[in-house]
Every structure is written in structure tokens, then in C-alpha cells.
Amino acid sequence: MAANRVIPGAVGLHLVGGLPLLRPDEQVFKAMLDGWRNQQLARRLAFSTIEGREKTVKAFALHADAFPWAWTPQMVDEWLGDLRSVRRLRHSTLRNYQGAIRTFCSFTTDPAYGWAATCEERFGTHPVQVVHEWNTAVHLEEAEGDASKRAFTRDELQEFFDHADDQVGKVRGRGRKGWLPAFRDAMLFKTAYAFGLRRNETRMLDSVAFGRNPEGPEFGDYGVLYVRHGKAKKGSPPKRRSVLTVFDWSAEILQQWNEEVRPLFATAGTGALWPSERAARVGFTQMNTRFGAYREALGLDEGLDFHSFRRSYVTHLIEDGWDARFVQEQVGHEHASTTAIYTCVSSDFRTRTLRRALDATMQAALRPTRRA
């Protein structure tokens, strides 16, 4: 029985053998995509990952004006060339596109699924792998994002938080209703920094996401944060992790928010830590708009974005002498090299470190040696 079982994505689930097709090219291509989707669903990949890959494959097929059994490596070269010259895509984005095409071709050429044999029978040819090492962008470095992105300096961060607090007082002083969202966003920004969170991790927090840490009783009910919507890896479900509280002020502001201010939102009953006035949870647009407005009002450069809170968390802990391995675990990085990329230590920190090393060397040289 096991030998006859049809695996997810196999041609037998999507095309009935011997049945004539009205538009064979289009129908077989659609069946391939459906089969590929089923195969990825069976691997428990995220829906967003599957949809993004399918969109990429369709875009390539449209540009090549050909179906998968007629694709060639030259078509890939032309497509990527256009993407670079016309759309100015980043190196990392091109690699993601290449990965989607490579994965699709691996699926269609795998004998286990039967697509190559079906294409040979219907079209007299079959799909081949068109993405190889010699025609793809290599992974040049650990971080291929915008080089202008950076961490806040300590003064910039304090200025940003002070400005956020001031806006709450100003709005409330004018008797306007907007003080609640302003208060929420001030707490949200501080929490993102206090626990080194990504934007989506911050947005998706619930009011019950915190717990006690037996090793840190001074933080009360806010000694540890349980992140349930961490960054997924290669299409996997969201990764979970726990983040220990390190700043005493973060526990204080969270207790005030949860007990005194958050209940004032009409939507607080949904359980989201950051409710919106009309929705269960604050949206990305609201978060980005508020952040951009504060940054512009303070005259800070555009190299600072929401992710800069996370960069700042890593940088400031390292500068303050926290163990690098501990910081890596806190932010959920698999590799220490990734944490190192986030570390944007200041020139003042480097100067102090150098001075301590030179002073220690000089003292050791001047210390009298013992005679036997």
C-alpha cells in the first residue's frame, strides 16, 4: 500500500492521465504550481513564503514568455539583468528570486513527482534546472541590507524617548483624545528597545506575554518576555524565544501601561498588548508613521528606523560589558556573526577600550619584577 501512495505535489493529484486538455500549456503549468504549493504545504512552510515564491515563478515565466519545460539558463540571465538595470534590486533580493526559481525547478525535475515524464509525453521535452552556481549572485557578506542603517547613540535614544513622552503631555494638555495612542506608542518604542525586538515581534505581543524570573525577583511579573512571533527561518513557523529583562525601568513602565493605561482602550479586551482605537492590535502603518514623525521632528537622519531599537539594544549591552553569548541568546540569533553585525559600538567606546588596554600594558611593564 505504501508504494502506491501518491505524495503531495505529484502529477497524479493534479492531472488525470490520458485526459485531453483544451489549453495544455497553461493547464499543465497551473497544475505544476498547484503541485508545488501542495509539496510546500506538506513541508509546513509559511503561507507568505509559498505565495512569494509562486509570484516570483510567475513573473519569470511572463518575462521569459515560455513555460517551464522550455526554460533555459540564458532566460534567467536576461531576467536578472533586467531586474538589476531597471528595478535596481538589491543583491539579497536577487538571491531570493534565484532561490525561488531553483526550488521550483528542483521540484519539477524530481522523478518522484512525475512532472518531467508528463512534459516529455505531452510536449516532447521536459523541464531542467536553469539556476546554477555559475549564473547566480553569490552571498558576498553576512549583511546585505542598507549600509546607512544604524543604531541610536545613547543621546539620540534618550532624546527620542523624551520627545515621545512630551507629545503625550502636549496632546493631553490640549484636551484632545489622541493622548492614548501617543502614550501607547511611547511605551511601544521603549519596549522594543528594552527587549531588542523586531517590529512584528513588538506588534504581536500580548498582555500575558510576561512572566516572573526566579533569578530576577526585583522585576516582579515582568522578569521575562515570551516572544511567540519571532522571525521564521526558511519558511518555517514563527520562532519562539524568551528574553530576560535587563533594565529595571522597563518593568516599571510595563506595569503602569498594563494596569493603568491599556484598560482605557475600548479594544483592550482582545488581549493585545498594544491595542488600537478601532482594531484589536496596532497596525504597522501607525507604528511607522509615528516613528517617522518623531524622527523628522528631532532632525535625526533616515539611517534610523524601527529596527534601530534592536540594533541599539545589542550595541548598548555589548558596550556595557554584557557577555556576547548572552546578548546573542536574548535577540535570538543563531550565529554570533549575526549579532556582531548588529553591534555598532561608538568611537568613544572604542577609545575607552583602547585606553584601558594601553594602561594595563603600561602598568604591567612598569611593575617591578620579583627577584629570586
Side-chain angles (χ1 to χ4, degrees):
M1 290 293 292
N4 296 325
R5 183 169 58 87
V6 180
I7 61 176
V11 64
L13 290 176
H14 302 277
L15 287 176
V16 179
L19 184 67
L21 303 177
L22 296 177
R23 299 182 304 278
D25 290 343
E26 296 177 10
Q27 289 174 270
V28 171
F29 183 36
K30 182 180 183 304
M32 277 183 171
L33 291 173
D34 290 342
W36 189 38
R37 180 180 182 83
N38 280 7
Q39 182 245 19
Q40 294 177 94
L41 287 172
R43 294 166 53 201
R44 298 184 59 82
L45 298 187
F47 288 107
S48 57
T49 299
I50 297 172
E51 291 167 0
R53 288 177 173 180
E54 184 175 338
K55 184 178 179 181
T56 299
V57 169
K58 288 180 177 178
F60 173 56
L62 182 63
H63 183 278
D65 193 23
F67 292 102
W69 47 92
W71 288 353
T72 66
Q74 290 73 25
M75 293 177 179
V76 176
D77 295 344
E78 294 173 1
W79 181 54
L80 296 177
D82 285 350
L83 290 177
R84 289 197 64 184
S85 60
V86 178
R87 295 181 55 187
R88 307 284 184 179
L89 295 184
R90 292 179 180 173
H91 191 87
S92 56
T93 304
L94 290 176
R95 286 195 301 101
N96 288 335
Y97 285 2
Q98 293 164 352
I101 303 300
R102 180 192 290 113
T103 303
F104 177 73
C105 289
S106 295
F107 165 73
T108 58
T109 57
D110 190 330
Y113 299 103
W115 291 105
T118 295
C119 291
E120 187 71 44
E121 177 185 347
R122 292 181 180 272
F123 310 115
T125 184
H126 57 82
V128 297
Q129 180 60 263
V130 295
V131 180
H132 306 277
E133 291 185 4
W134 45 265
N135 69 338
T136 56
V138 296
H139 195 161
L140 295 177
E141 54 189 55
E142 293 293 338
E144 298 172 333
D146 190 340
S148 67
K149 302 302 182 183
R150 63 176 179 85
F152 286 90
T153 66
R154 295 177 188 265
D155 289 342
E156 287 174 337
L157 190 68
Q158 188 61 58
E159 185 180 17
F160 189 95
F161 289 157
D162 288 344
H163 181 76
D165 291 338
D166 290 343
Q167 299 315 297
V168 178
K170 289 180 180 179
V171 174
R172 194 169 190 177
R174 293 194 294 265
R176 297 175 59 184
K177 297 180 180 179
W179 76 270
L180 267 178
F183 195 107
R184 174 202 62 208
D185 293 345
M187 296 299 101
L188 183 153
F189 293 147
K190 293 176 184 178
T191 301
Y193 166 72
F195 294 91
L197 302 177
R198 300 178 178 90
R199 186 178 61 163
N200 189 57
E201 293 173 349
T202 306
R203 175 179 177 269
M204 296 303 294
L205 289 178
D206 291 323
S207 59
V208 294
F210 299 89
R212 288 180 170 270
N213 177 7
E215 302 301 324
E218 63 268 35
F219 299 124
D221 293 332
Y222 299 91
V224 57
L225 169 62
Y226 298 101
V227 178
R228 298 190 301 111
H229 294 271
K231 185 177 180 180
K233 180 181 179 181
K234 296 181 180 179
S236 301
K239 185 178 180 181
R240 300 189 178 198
R241 74 176 187 279
S242 59
V243 185
L244 302 181
T245 303
V246 296
F247 303 125
D248 53 3
W249 56 264
S250 62
E252 295 173 4
I253 66 169
L254 282 166
Q255 182 175 7
Q256 179 191 19
W257 166 253
N258 249 337
E259 297 179 2
E260 301 177 18
V261 184
R262 180 180 164 276
L264 300 178
F265 279 85
T267 56
T270 61
L273 184 62
W274 315 114
S276 177
E277 293 175 287
R278 299 180 181 83
R281 200 178 297 274
V282 67
F284 287 131
T285 300
Q286 295 168 284
M287 295 165 62
N288 295 339
T289 299
R290 182 85 69 178
F291 182 93
Y294 289 176
R295 181 184 62 192
E296 183 176 349
L298 294 171
L300 300 175
D301 67 68
E302 294 185 358
L304 296 170
D305 56 12
F306 193 97
H307 208 69
S308 292
F309 291 131
R310 183 171 166 86
R311 300 185 188 99
S312 303
Y313 176 83
V314 172
T315 297
H316 296 165
L317 288 188
I318 294 297
E319 287 186 343
D320 289 342
W322 289 82
D323 183 79
R325 178 64 183 182
F326 172 81
V327 178
Q328 178 186 342
E329 293 293 330
Q330 287 281 93
V331 295
H333 286 156
E334 184 175 356
H335 303 290
S337 58
T338 307
T339 309
I341 293 168
Y342 275 67
T343 308
C344 313
V345 294
S346 64
S347 57
D348 181 57
F349 170 77
R350 294 196 299 270
T351 300
R352 294 197 309 270
T353 302
L354 175 63
R355 188 68 266 162
R356 285 197 300 268
L358 293 176
D359 289 345
T361 302
M362 185 63 68
Q363 291 173 8
L366 296 177
R367 189 178 301 120
T369 57
R370 292 183 178 180
R371 294 183 179 180

